[in-house]
Amino acid sequence: MNAQMKPTAILQNDITPEGSDYEVVRRAIEKISLDYRDQPSLEVLAEEVGETPTGLQKLFTRWAGLSPKAFLQAVTLDHARRLLDSGMPLLETSFELGMSGPGRLHDLFVTHEAMSPGDYKTRGAGLTIRYGYHISPFGIALIMVTDRGLAGLAFNDAGGERAAFADMSGRWPNATYVEDMSATAPYAARIFDPRLWRADQPLRVVMIGTDFQLRVWEALLRIPMGKACTYSSIAASIGAPSASRAVGAAVGANPMSFVVPCHRALGKSGALTGYHWGLTRKRAILGWEAGQVGS
């Protein structure tokens, strides 16, 4: 039975985290995001989130691999502009750039395949999607998998689980949805632990979208960690230089946040622009990635 026929199938277990690092980090990031031009001090940030300066420093560094000050620098507009490649066609050279060192982590060693446009048009008919909610570095992650691999990854804060499920299941309304955390747990472990990003155990991903969306999502996979790309550059890389707006829509419709790195798509000026799961979360992911590359 589909999602509409069995709405009570979700949230059978309370997974609300207690004492989550991300909740404290999220509040600090919101303060940083609002006041980054004023360069808020560690003491100001600590007071905002109810921590001691030392406690916040340790917690933030444990979470991001960066101090709050370094994270602040990583989410400024100037830094975002530096992430944008201005000297060469980034998407054409990204594999060369990422062949060694921490930049190679950018693609999680993903191996992907795409369902046909015909499969997409059926809106998931005949497809069984197993899902589960998991604690991640960026809040609660809703993970959806098929027998062919990861099909969806969404984020929400505590209390937003039903809305995230409605958003994701609405993309493939004719599919059958089965709550099965035993099926999704290995994906959660694999995706969010950089120690498990291994070439000999690639993450299997199945992309369900239109032909145009698939081309955009594949282009996103070619953006290395620690780099960013503009919508216009992505459009040019897929042979549609005048389709920046359509590219933006396809980026926003990406069903596999973080894995297919739509967070690395920035406006021409370096502005973060929109993110389906919230700009605070986009800043969190970019800052966390900066910590991974730096380490």
Side-chain angles (χ1 to χ4, degrees):
M1 59 186 65
N2 62 26
Q4 288 81 1
M5 295 174 63
K6 193 180 179 183
T8 57
I10 65 173
L11 295 182
Q12 295 176 359
N13 301 307
D14 181 7
I15 63 162
T16 303
E18 294 182 4
S20 167
D21 283 358
Y22 177 70
E23 175 58 24
V24 176
V25 168
R26 180 186 64 79
R27 290 162 56 203
I29 291 172
E30 287 181 341
K31 179 68 173 177
I32 289 171
S33 301
L34 290 171
D35 299 339
Y36 74 89
R37 290 181 180 85
D38 296 329
Q39 300 284 299
S41 67
L42 177 63
E43 289 73 20
V44 168
L45 292 174
E47 182 178 359
E48 179 74 16
V49 300
E51 290 278 345
T52 65
T54 300
L56 179 61
Q57 178 93 355
K58 289 181 178 179
L59 184 154
F60 212 103
T61 304
R62 180 174 69 245
W63 177 85
L66 294 171
S67 68
K69 181 178 180 179
F71 186 94
L72 174 62
Q73 294 170 345
V75 298
T76 62
L77 183 60
D78 287 343
H79 180 77
R81 287 171 177 154
R82 289 194 295 272
L83 290 181
L84 294 171
D85 185 273
S86 58
M88 57 184 167
L90 174 61
L91 294 180
E92 294 179 9
T93 61
S94 60
F95 285 118
E96 178 182 352
L97 290 172
M99 283 304 292
S100 62
R104 187 65 181 93
L105 298 176
H106 78 277
D107 59 4
L108 299 174
F109 298 107
V110 167
T111 178
H112 68 275
E113 60 177 299
M115 288 191 172
S116 70
D119 290 329
Y120 173 74
K121 288 179 180 178
T122 67
R123 309 298 300 278
L127 187 67
T128 296
I129 298 179
R130 301 181 182 278
Y131 67 93
Y133 297 90
H134 301 270
I135 305 304
S136 84
F138 315 109
I140 297 171
L142 169 59
I143 294 178
M144 293 183 162
V145 303
T146 72
D147 58 0
R148 294 163 66 178
L150 177 73
L153 196 164
F155 292 108
N156 62 266
D157 297 320
E161 294 87 349
R162 290 183 182 276
F165 182 85
D167 183 310
M168 294 297 288
S169 60
R171 300 164 190 246
W172 313 294
N174 297 327
T176 297
Y177 290 90
V178 179
E179 184 177 23
D180 187 353
M181 289 185 67
S182 65
T184 56
Y187 286 87
R190 172 74 173 77
I191 291 166
F192 296 115
D193 187 347
R195 295 170 299 180
L196 300 180
W197 297 357
R198 297 173 50 185
D200 60 339
Q201 294 181 4
L203 179 69
R204 294 175 57 216
V205 167
V206 57
M207 295 178 173
I208 309 173
T210 66
D211 178 68
F212 183 82
Q213 287 174 331
L214 295 173
R215 286 190 289 146
V216 171
W217 299 341
E218 288 170 344
L220 291 173
L221 279 171
R222 295 196 294 271
I223 305 174
M225 178 181 283
K227 293 288 184 179
C229 204
T230 64
Y231 298 108
S232 57
S233 295
I234 295 170
S237 77
I238 64 172
S242 63
S244 294
R245 288 182 179 273
V247 165
V251 169
N254 168 35
M256 281 175 282
S257 296
F258 185 71
V259 171
V260 176
C262 52
H263 55 276
R264 298 181 198 150
L266 305 180
K268 188 174 182 178
S269 68
L272 266 62
T273 65
Y275 186 62
H276 193 77
W277 307 110
L279 280 178
T280 294
R281 189 166 276 109
K282 183 171 185 172
R283 289 185 176 94
I285 295 173
L286 288 170
W288 184 89
E289 287 190 339
Q292 296 301 314
V293 171
S295 64

